[in-house]
Amino acid sequence: MAPTGPRAASGSTRPATRASRGGISKRRVAGKTDRDGDVSMDAPAGSGLNGGVAAGRGGTRGGRGARDSRGSTRAGSRITQNVKNYIGSRGSVATNKTHFNKVTLKVHGFRESKAALNDDGGRRSLIDFLERKASKDKKVTISKSVMDNEFFWISVNKDDVPDLLRLSGYSYAGAPITVTETTEKMPDASSTTLELKAKLTEVLARRYNPEQRLLDLSALGTDETLRSMDVFSQGSRAEKAFRALLRIATDQYTKTEEKNQAFEAVSIARNEIDDVGQVFQLAIDLPRLKRLDLSGNNLETLSKMSKWRHRFKNLEELHLIGNPVAAQSDLVAEMLKWFPTLQNLNGQQVRTRQEVAEYQKAHQPTPIPSLPSNLRDGENGVAPAFLQAFFPLYDTDRERLISEFYDDDSWFSLSVMLGSGRALPWKSYMKFSRNVHKTGSRSADTQQRLFTGGSLIADLWKALPPTRHPGMDQSHQWLVDCHTFPHLADPTGQGFSVGLIIVVQGQFEEADLSQNLFGTRTFSRTFILGPSKPNNPPPQHPYRVISDELTLHKWTPSPTQTPVPSTVTAPQQPAAPITIHVAAPEIIPTQPVQPAEPNDTLKAQLIQAISQATGMTAEYSELCLRGPANWNYELALQSFEQQKANLPPSAFLATA
Amino acid sequence: MAILSRERAVTASAEACEKFVETYYQAINSNKPVASYYVTDNTTYTNAGHPPADICINGQAGLTPKQWDDLLETQRKIPSASNTNPRYHPVRYEVESYDMHVINPDYRFAAPPALLVPDTSKPDLGAGIRLMMMLTVSGTVYFTSDRDGLKQHFNDVFILVPNWDVLAKHGSRAARKLLIASHSYRAF
């Protein structure tokens, strides 16, 4: 047992719920800061502080017993709490956001109470006391609190203020307290917390390798900074500090995807881990980890790893050398079972990438196979002729497109699926998006965002960003399904006529000129074509667009893997010959659509090429390539030309 | 015959499609067959000489509604399981967007006389019902329980026509009011 301070003996006064064993059980974030915001840095007696791994070993061995020791757990949890407190306060206290409905009160006098000797400075019991006593007619809750040397600052609902002010003069654990309203701003979380976080952040920064996307948390017991903080000298405390480190590292990323990309590999080698339960949090915070180094620990049997069974579903590489369990004969077979994507165990290939792919394929549903475009547009090849005329005109002369194919009864609407994750903003489309799933069928938007008649549609199209669709001859860029169907109203008002439905999937490049952004969008567009009206307006073609619906999808790499049949590229005898203006495109991107982000080698080459062409440093060249340019050499150069004047001298390589 | 106002047609189509989207994808996600949603099995339509619904799934055309149900079942199947003892994994279609247009505001094929305004002095019972619509639905298909696992985008386009059997009767509010005359599906 290693009491860490004078208050260890009073551990028994803590609520029973907090007396649970160490490990990963969730703790109520009760004491956000301790009495003076201080982290106990005094070394527990008997834990080996004096030497690296050996010290760690002593610590962990003793750790099992020590985990039950309230003293040490408390010290550790304080670290976690301080960190949590800091993190929790970022969005609220620290930003000084004004909450109109909240009032800040100061409680004074509690320092003299007996409860002030509690582990958390009496904070939890003071909150309980205040809430209990104030909740007379209605339940009063304290939403936020900060304890400093003199005052206990609380934030409560405006309506609850009288109930709390009433408590002035009440006796709390033997001491009278006063409650006053204040307009002062609540103090930030204690400076110690910030200091602690800064130290841990520094440790993390030192141990992160961005090239390998590796977070190296190996041999934490020998880390000078951590040793000076005395957080890894003892098992249970180490567990908590480990969690705090992970938390700080992963909390920088609000998007799971970015987090998983940033941390592909973690090393927790040489940390005297004898059960993965001690570092279980890793499976929670980084479940998509690809490479994990556990070597040089004390894992004796598979059962000591079983908590991670069925975790890390993307794990490709695992190192266990230096653990007793590594000698176990069935290790490979078991690990293959536990981690279905594992390819490399202890530096040996245990499965090929192809085997992993096959395994995955065999264990999950198989998407319906995709066939090439399916054109059933009757004999006369209307669909290819229409599409070949449509998209070039949409890119270059939308007004003319309207006059050729649309009439007063044509309908157009577009709908947007959010969450693209690509660089292009949705702003230009959002206010026109008729996504009934979002707006609801009875919304006014459902009426207003439906554009009827050529002139309204033309006005809308003027407001939409310029686009550039790939040529229909690039058949791998397109998927077109179409067929004729009966029972459209005949324009003469007599009987039925035959219609043609054309569904197109593809991508187009877009230029948002207002913000100077370029990018690619994935879209579907559905047309209903029907016979032209006899005389109004004079028909340019025997058919017209009855309905045109554009859906903008979340960006997906490429809609097709298979080429479309040549009927799209070589229409035989279009029903009506269409002459297309060969007008110069309004927007500049000339590169073909880039289907996906290139691999690292290609990226490096692109960076080098841009650097040579512009004289910029590799860093700035990469900046140009990222973002809207999306690794498109031409677009990156354009972006450079536009931004050239604004670049700092440091962006350029020193001329030799 | 009074021409149906645009407003009324828009509202009627939006409400009908909202209901359709809700029930159709709910059926698919709970592994129920959807063959009965198509005109193919509707005797009112087939007796009047309507061709079977045109179903084109990922470029495969000429499918029957039953074959579409089978494709969905095959898609759910876990390949490693034996054929005698098949195992399935739920495949979830999550709709994120849909939009519809009325492409024929006075659809009369196989319509019962009562809905065809026999008498101009009476209100037009069929207005807002005799609609032929084009509906596009898109979203994500999830093939595993893990949202980051295998998934695709899907884009469904339907041509919908009135289900006269239901509409001619009164008080059949809950029943299916639309039938699918054409269905083009693409997942990518």
Side-chain angles (χ1 to χ4, degrees):
Chain A
M1 292 293 113
T4 53
R7 292 186 300 280
S10 67
S12 56
T13 60
R14 290 191 302 154
T17 47
R18 297 193 59 213
S20 69
R21 217 175 136 265
I24 57 149
S25 64
K26 265 204 176 157
R27 257 162 224 294
R28 188 169 176 192
V29 191
K32 282 203 174 174
T33 33
D34 57 0
R35 190 174 60 175
D36 45 17
D38 208 352
V39 180
S40 175
M41 293 285 181
D42 39 353
S47 74
L49 246 182
N50 305 325
V53 176
R57 186 184 178 88
T60 315
R61 287 287 177 214
R64 272 204 209 151
R67 215 174 299 140
D68 293 321
S69 141
R70 294 241 171 98
S72 58
T73 310
R74 216 179 296 135
S77 73
R78 220 177 285 158
I79 294 167
T80 324
Q81 277 165 10
N82 278 343
V83 171
K84 274 185 187 165
N85 190 18
Y86 172 81
I87 290 162
S89 69
R90 274 189 308 191
S92 45
V93 181
T95 53
N96 297 326
K97 222 189 219 168
T98 317
H99 293 285
F100 295 107
N101 229 356
K102 297 284 181 195
V103 174
T104 306
L105 302 177
K106 285 196 293 191
V107 182
H108 183 62
F110 64 94
R111 282 283 174 225
E112 282 69 47
S113 74
K114 286 181 226 149
L117 293 175
N118 284 1
D119 164 51
D120 61 353
R123 177 200 176 92
R124 184 70 244 166
S125 64
L126 180 54
I127 291 175
D128 287 346
F129 174 84
L130 293 171
E131 287 184 343
R132 192 174 64 243
K133 293 290 179 192
S135 303
K136 228 178 164 189
D137 308 320
K138 58 180 188 303
K139 178 135 181 61
V140 173
T141 40
I142 292 168
S143 56
K144 213 155 41 197
S145 62
V146 172
M147 192 177 262
D148 67 15
N149 286 331
E150 199 181 353
F151 295 109
F152 186 56
W153 303 72
I154 56 176
S155 168
V156 294
N157 277 338
K158 214 184 246 169
D159 296 349
D160 297 339
V161 172
D163 287 323
L164 282 150
L165 290 178
R166 188 169 53 79
L167 304 184
S168 263
Y170 272 52
S171 174
Y172 164 66
I177 52 165
T178 54
V179 184
T180 46
E181 194 172 338
T182 177
T183 49
E184 290 170 66
K185 126 179 138 51
M186 233 179 184
D188 282 353
S190 80
S191 57
T192 327
T193 308
L194 299 180
E195 201 181 298
L196 180 84
K197 157 127 182 174
K199 272 189 180 173
L200 291 180
T201 309
E202 181 251 301
V203 169
L204 285 166
R206 190 154 39 79
R207 287 168 166 270
Y208 180 64
N209 179 335
E211 279 87 56
Q212 298 182 31
R213 302 180 175 193
L214 164 73
L215 182 61
D216 182 1
L217 298 179
S218 64
L220 292 172
T222 61
D223 189 291
E224 284 302 327
T225 314
L226 294 174
R227 278 178 68 182
S228 74
M229 295 161 77
D230 189 32
V231 286
F232 276 88
S233 55
Q234 210 176 37
S236 56
R237 205 189 283 192
E239 283 173 37
K240 271 143 202 146
F242 178 76
R243 291 213 296 265
L245 277 172
L246 271 185
R247 169 68 76 91
I248 294 173
T250 53
D251 263 12
Q252 306 167 52
Y253 299 91
T254 47
K255 287 195 180 142
T256 323
E257 212 174 297
E258 286 170 8
K259 180 185 79 179
N260 292 333
Q261 272 174 11
F263 303 105
E264 284 187 358
V266 167
S267 170
I268 40 172
R270 302 185 304 285
N271 276 314
E272 300 299 320
I273 298 161
D274 55 18
D275 188 317
V276 296
Q278 294 153 358
V279 283
F280 185 80
Q281 191 68 22
L282 189 61
I284 308 264
D285 285 344
L286 295 171
R288 313 254 154 239
L289 210 56
K290 287 188 177 159
R291 308 191 302 278
L292 175 61
D293 187 357
L294 268 168
S295 53
N297 283 299
N298 287 329
L299 298 164
E300 279 178 6
T301 57
L302 285 171
S303 68
K304 300 289 184 193
M305 294 174 63
S306 62
K307 290 192 183 72
W308 272 353
R309 187 177 186 159
H310 304 310
R311 300 273 172 175
F312 300 117
K313 287 192 175 156
N314 295 4
L315 193 67
E316 293 172 3
E317 193 177 321
L318 177 65
H319 294 277
L320 287 168
I321 286 173
N323 288 279
V325 72
Q328 210 158 309
S329 57
D330 58 346
L331 180 77
V332 177
E334 285 299 311
M335 290 301 104
L336 284 175
K337 254 191 262 169
W338 289 19
F339 305 110
T341 54
L342 188 68
Q343 291 161 46
N344 182 316
L345 179 63
N346 297 333
Q348 304 285 318
Q349 187 173 54
V350 288
R351 218 190 249 136
T352 63
R353 192 166 285 276
Q354 199 186 345
E355 280 170 324
V356 170
E358 276 164 18
Y359 178 91
Q360 281 182 323
K361 227 178 146 189
H363 287 83
Q364 66 193 15
T366 323
I368 298 168
S370 187
L371 299 180
S373 296
N374 188 305
L375 302 178
R376 292 169 293 132
D377 56 348
E379 302 285 294
N380 46 17
V382 169
F386 170 72
L387 296 177
Q388 284 204 322
F390 184 89
F391 288 110
L393 276 180
Y394 186 80
D395 291 342
T396 55
D397 192 349
R398 292 178 186 169
E399 222 159 327
R400 168 135 184 257
L401 182 57
I402 296 281
S403 67
E404 293 222 7
F405 293 106
Y406 292 69
D407 66 17
D408 291 346
D409 293 323
S410 302
W411 285 23
F412 172 82
S413 59
L414 64 92
S415 60
V416 169
M417 285 163 74
L418 281 181
S420 132
R422 301 293 288 187
L424 283 173
W426 288 108
K427 219 174 96 197
S428 356
Y429 295 101
M430 271 326 285
K431 51 181 182 267
F432 307 116
S433 171
R434 188 181 189 246
N435 178 349
V436 182
H437 187 60
K438 295 270 184 279
T439 60
S441 61
R442 284 165 178 275
S443 151
D445 292 337
T446 303
Q447 295 278 355
Q448 287 158 7
R449 295 179 181 182
L450 178 72
F451 296 84
T452 308
S455 59
L456 278 180
I457 300 173
D459 286 346
L460 168 65
W461 284 0
K462 272 183 218 153
L464 298 181
T467 53
R468 188 175 175 81
H469 293 76
M472 293 307 290
D473 54 332
Q474 298 194 38
S475 51
H476 62 283
Q477 305 267 16
W478 298 92
L479 274 178
V480 182
D481 296 323
C482 70
H483 66 85
T484 51
F485 64 95
H487 310 136
L488 275 180
D490 193 86
T492 58
Q494 297 299 314
F496 298 117
S497 64
V498 171
L500 176 66
I501 177 167
I502 311 175
V503 187
V504 180
Q505 331 273 347
Q507 293 189 333
F508 60 76
E509 287 179 43
E510 181 184 304
D512 188 328
L513 298 174
S514 64
Q515 297 185 56
N516 206 10
L517 289 169
F518 301 90
T520 312
R521 290 202 194 274
T522 303
F523 76 97
S524 303
R525 197 157 186 164
T526 308
F527 304 95
I528 302 280
L529 303 186
S532 290
K533 290 178 194 168
N535 287 313
N536 176 36
Q540 304 228 11
H541 307 284
Y543 50 86
R544 64 186 178 110
V545 172
I546 292 178
S547 164
D548 172 2
E549 259 185 44
L550 170 65
T551 305
L552 298 172
H553 293 271
K554 293 175 189 170
W555 190 86
T556 46
S558 175
T560 62
Q561 291 86 36
T562 38
V564 290
S566 56
T567 39
V568 174
T569 56
Q572 295 131 3
Q573 296 191 331
I578 296 163
T579 46
I580 303 168
H581 273 309
V582 189
E586 286 166 21
I587 54 166
I588 319 125
T590 48
Q591 282 290 98
V593 174
Q594 194 124 10
E597 216 170 73
N599 62 25
D600 288 344
T601 332
L602 190 56
K603 281 184 185 172
Q605 286 170 359
L606 280 166
I607 293 171
Q608 207 188 348
I610 290 286
S611 176
Q612 274 173 4
T614 62
M616 288 195 297
T617 61
E619 194 190 350
Y620 275 86
S621 304
E622 190 177 349
L623 275 177
C624 264
L625 280 158
R626 285 189 184 281
N630 189 29
W631 298 98
N632 179 321
Y633 178 76
E634 297 288 341
L635 291 179
L637 277 186
Q638 279 163 28
S639 149
F640 165 73
E641 289 299 331
Q642 281 143 7
Q643 299 295 330
K644 202 157 63 174
N646 307 327
L647 289 171
S650 61
F652 296 93
L653 295 163
T655 39
Chain B
M1 180 206 68
I3 303 265
L4 181 67
S5 79
R6 176 189 178 273
E7 275 62 37
R8 185 143 173 225
V10 170
T11 310
S13 63
E15 284 175 4
C17 289
E18 184 174 45
K19 186 86 188 156
F20 171 85
V21 169
E22 195 181 299
T23 53
Y24 185 82
Y25 290 95
Q26 197 175 29
I28 286 193
N29 287 339
S30 41
N31 309 343
K32 293 196 178 114
V34 288
S36 59
Y37 282 77
Y38 294 78
V39 287
T40 312
D41 293 345
N42 183 282
T43 45
T44 307
Y45 272 94
T46 50
N47 289 346
H50 196 284
D54 190 298
I55 304 178
C56 180
I57 305 298
N58 271 347
Q60 193 182 351
L63 298 173
T64 64
K66 174 76 176 61
Q67 284 172 316
W68 166 229
D69 275 332
D70 291 346
L71 273 179
L72 284 170
E73 188 183 309
T74 312
Q75 181 173 248
R76 284 194 283 272
K77 206 175 263 178
I78 293 174
S80 60
S82 68
N83 277 337
T84 47
N85 183 23
R87 283 190 300 126
Y88 299 91
H89 192 285
V91 171
R92 217 169 59 260
Y93 283 79
E94 259 180 39
V95 174
E96 286 157 64
S97 149
Y98 65 86
D99 190 7
M100 75 296 293
H101 288 176
V102 174
I103 58 174
N104 182 353
D106 190 19
Y107 183 81
R108 290 163 167 259
F109 183 85
L115 296 175
L116 280 177
V117 213
D119 180 355
T120 42
S121 64
K122 289 183 184 166
D124 183 357
L125 290 174
I129 288 180
R130 286 195 310 270
L131 300 177
M132 183 184 219
M133 290 171 274
M134 185 255 276
L135 166 69
T136 58
V137 186
S138 7
T140 310
V141 203
Y142 294 94
F143 293 89
T144 64
S145 38
D146 178 357
R147 284 186 87 83
D148 294 325
L150 181 62
K151 59 186 171 189
Q152 288 184 320
H153 291 278
F154 73 91
N155 189 65
D156 267 323
V157 180
F158 301 97
I159 293 177
L160 300 169
V161 292
N163 184 357
W164 302 123
D165 301 351
V166 168
L167 295 166
K169 284 182 238 155
H170 288 288
S172 49
R173 209 168 267 254
R176 199 167 298 145
K177 290 182 179 170
L178 300 173
L179 291 171
I180 302 166
S182 155
H183 180 192
S184 305
Y185 168 95
R186 279 285 177 185
F188 47 91

